[in-house]
Amino acid sequence: KNQVEQSPQSLIILEGKNCTLQCNYTVSPFSNLRWYKQDTGRGPVSLTIMTFSENTKSNGRYTATLDADTKQSSLHITASQLSDSASYICVVSPYGGATNKLIFGTGTLLAVQP
Amino acid sequence: GAVVSQHPSWVICKSGTSVKIECRSLDFQATTMFWYRQFPKQSLMLMATSNEGSKATYEQGVEKDKFLINHASLTLSTLTVTSAHPEDSSFYICSASRAHGSYEQYFGPGTRLTVT
């Protein structure tokens, strides 16, 4: 069964600190993996997208890594800001799907405190 | 570029009435649009996939007669919740892809539906 699991479920950090969110997936075959940020009451916003051949991708203070062999990904947030408080969702796209269906993780809820 | 809007952003309706939610791709043509539903503290759940000019494909367990989807143009898809009930209260999010096989889905800001 295609699944995407994220950890931790929630996380509280102090402003300015770094943190790393984890994503494990069992989707096969695999096309690409995405990280989204979802603010409360808003739609998801794309942070990074990586194909199976990419190991790392950065977007400002966000750096995603991918190990396609172990089927693991991480999202590292550097020098956190209060505005980083949101839910971070790992999403995997299976290969070969004509309708671009995505498989969503349950998300990690991050709270950045002053 | 690649902006998707939804209207309304929130709506309250009475049980038994119908409500329509619009999803628009503002600066690109969307061959495929997706409708998701998200309950509190849960992830997005795909409801249906619609391709412009053809009937929507619904996910298992989603009633097509209750959730009517129309994708009449390359920039507009609508979701109509018919005979709404309190259990239909949820956060509805649409997304749009530029073309078949494209990696990227661009999400709208969501519509909060409350049925009283």
Side-chain angles (χ1 to χ4, degrees):
Chain A
K1 182 180 178 182
N2 288 334
Q3 285 187 316
V4 178
E5 297 183 348
Q6 292 185 241
S7 62
Q9 201 170 29
S10 62
L11 181 63
I12 301 174
I13 62 173
L14 293 177
E15 185 179 12
K17 298 296 185 182
N18 304 335
C19 68
T20 300
L21 314 181
Q22 301 292 341
C23 173
N24 296 332
Y25 61 94
T26 59
V27 179
S28 183
F30 164 87
S31 176
N32 59 77
L33 184 145
R34 314 143 186 242
W35 283 92
Y36 287 91
K37 177 187 179 186
Q38 185 178 23
D39 292 312
T40 302
R42 305 291 293 175
V45 174
S46 179
L47 296 176
T48 63
I49 178 170
M50 293 181 289
T51 64
F52 66 92
S53 62
E54 295 177 288
N55 299 121
T56 185
K57 183 161 282 189
S58 292
N59 177 2
R61 295 181 296 103
Y62 301 102
T63 299
T65 65
L66 174 63
D67 186 333
D69 292 331
T70 62
K71 294 185 169 58
Q72 295 180 325
S73 176
S74 67
L75 180 69
H76 186 76
I77 303 175
T78 304
S80 61
Q81 300 176 359
L82 297 178
S83 59
D84 291 334
S85 297
S87 180
Y88 291 84
I89 307 172
C90 176
V91 181
V92 178
S93 178
Y95 179 76
T99 56
N100 300 342
K101 284 189 182 180
L102 304 177
I103 300 173
F104 289 79
T106 52
T108 292
L109 185 59
L110 174 66
V112 180
Q113 295 184 341
Chain B
V3 179
V4 176
S5 69
Q6 285 184 238
H7 178 80
S9 55
W10 59 270
V11 58
I12 301 173
C13 70
K14 291 187 176 181
S15 186
T17 62
S18 296
V19 61
K20 179 184 287 188
I21 302 170
E22 292 185 350
C23 176
R24 293 181 185 273
S25 56
L26 298 184
D27 52 3
F28 68 99
Q29 293 186 328
T31 309
T32 307
M33 285 186 168
F34 305 83
W35 286 96
Y36 296 86
R37 181 167 50 183
Q38 186 177 32
F39 293 106
K41 297 186 179 181
Q42 293 187 23
S43 192
L44 281 72
M45 292 175 52
L46 181 65
M47 299 175 66
T49 303
S50 73
N51 292 300
E52 185 264 338
S54 60
K55 290 184 179 180
T57 301
Y58 290 80
E59 294 300 299
Q60 193 172 11
V62 178
E63 301 173 57
K64 63 179 181 180
D65 294 330
K66 181 172 182 61
F67 299 99
L68 301 179
I69 292 173
N70 184 278
H71 190 169
S73 78
L74 286 172
T75 59
L76 173 64
S77 176
T78 60
L79 168 68
T80 301
V81 183
T82 63
S83 187
H85 289 105
E87 56 265 30
D88 297 325
S89 298
S90 187
F91 193 51
Y92 291 86
I93 304 173
C94 73
S95 72
S97 286
R98 293 178 186 271
H100 291 293
S102 171
Y103 289 154
E104 197 63 61
Q105 281 187 33
Y106 303 96
F107 287 86
T111 296
R112 172 73 60 192
L113 170 64
T114 302
V115 184
T116 60

